[in-house]
């Protein structure tokens, strides 16, 4: 039995969708980040960084960081096919894309959503957001070219957790001037991931939509 602390449309989306596809029992615990529940004393004991998601597994074990949770779930449930086997040809690209997505693309998205974490003052924050939007657009253009060369999924013929992660991050661009779903291959990827039962059920359960 797992427990996933989440909030709608957050970095919990990918692990949430994976749990749905894996089909194991799990409990969702909503953290209302708008009300600041991530700063409650009880939640900080689980996740001292005051972020979602957090996963409880094996009864009382706790972990956070969305990409790490995806990797753990893929590893514990190999039958779901969310990660290529160690030693297989897809393994290196899979690890590369997971790290690239969380460390580079997600980080650039954080600059857009939370410019106030990086600089003070409205003008500077607007400049950070402007630059972040261009960087995110460049990254998704790059991913689009990658998919055109060797898609339809990031690692080629098979869908893995990195594809869920990419589509989650694509959704985070919905409020930008040019959301990235208009890139043709990214659009195909979004549609393919949204057609998966787990991802579709996650969107419904979180009460959110995704641009296609
Ligand atoms: N690197 C973390 C980032 C998690 C994160 O920033 N989550 C956001 C929602 S997407 C959050 O909890 N925000 C609450 C806040 O900033 O107070 C991960 O990938 O799990």
């Amino acid at each position: 039995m797992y427990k996933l602390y989440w909030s709608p449309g957050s970095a919990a989306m990918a692990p949430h969708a994976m749990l749905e596809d894996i089909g194991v029992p799990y409990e969702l615990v909503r953290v209302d980040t708008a009300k600041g529940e991530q700063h409650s004393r009880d939640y900080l004991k689980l996740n001292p960084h005051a972020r979602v998601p957090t996963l409880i597994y094996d009864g009382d074990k706790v972990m956070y960081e969305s990409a790490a949770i995806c990797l753990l779930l893929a590893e514990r449930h190999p039958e779901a096919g969310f990660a290529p086997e160690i030693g297989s040809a897809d393994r290196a690209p899979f690890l590369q894309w997971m790290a690239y997505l969380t460390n580079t693309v997600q980080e650039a998205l954080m600059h857009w959503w939370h410019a106030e974490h990086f600089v003070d003052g409205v003008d500077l924050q607007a400049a950070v957001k402007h630059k972040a939007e261009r960087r995110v657009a460049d990254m998704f253009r790059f991913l689009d070219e990658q998919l055109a060369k060797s898609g339809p999924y990031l690692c080629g013929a098979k869908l893995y957790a990195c594809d869920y992660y990419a589509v989650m991050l694509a959704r985070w661009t919905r409020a930008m001037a040019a959301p990235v779903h208009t890139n043709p291959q990214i659009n195909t990827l979004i549609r393919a991931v949204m057609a998966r039962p787990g991802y579709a059920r996650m969107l419904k359960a979180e009460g959110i939509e995704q641009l296609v």
Side-chain angles (χ1 to χ4, degrees), residues 10-11 33 38-39 50-53 65-66 106 110 114 165 172:
S10 72
T33 50
Q38 69 276 34
H39 297 286
R51 300 285 168 90
V52 283
E65 284 300 327
S66 177
Q106 189 172 346
M110 284 294 157
H114 291 291
Y165 214 88
W172 294 3

Side-chain angles (χ1 to χ4, degrees), residues 6-13 15 31-34 36-39 43 47 49-54 64-69 102 106-107 110 113-114 116-117 165 168-169 172:
W6 70 291
S7 69
S10 72
M13 285 174 68
V31 180
D32 192 335
T33 50
E37 286 176 3
Q38 69 276 34
H39 297 286
Y43 190 68
N47 187 330
H49 307 289
R51 300 285 168 90
V52 283
T54 300
Y64 46 82
E65 284 300 327
S66 177
I69 293 170
T102 189
Q106 189 172 346
E107 191 268 348
M110 284 294 157
W113 282 99
H114 291 291
E116 75 280 7
H117 290 176
Y165 214 88
M168 172 180 81
L169 297 184
W172 294 3

Side-chain angles (χ1 to χ4, degrees), residues 172-186:
W172 294 3
T173 70
R174 68 197 180 282
M176 291 183 174
V180 302
H181 69 287
T182 52
N183 289 288
Q185 307 302 323
I186 296 288

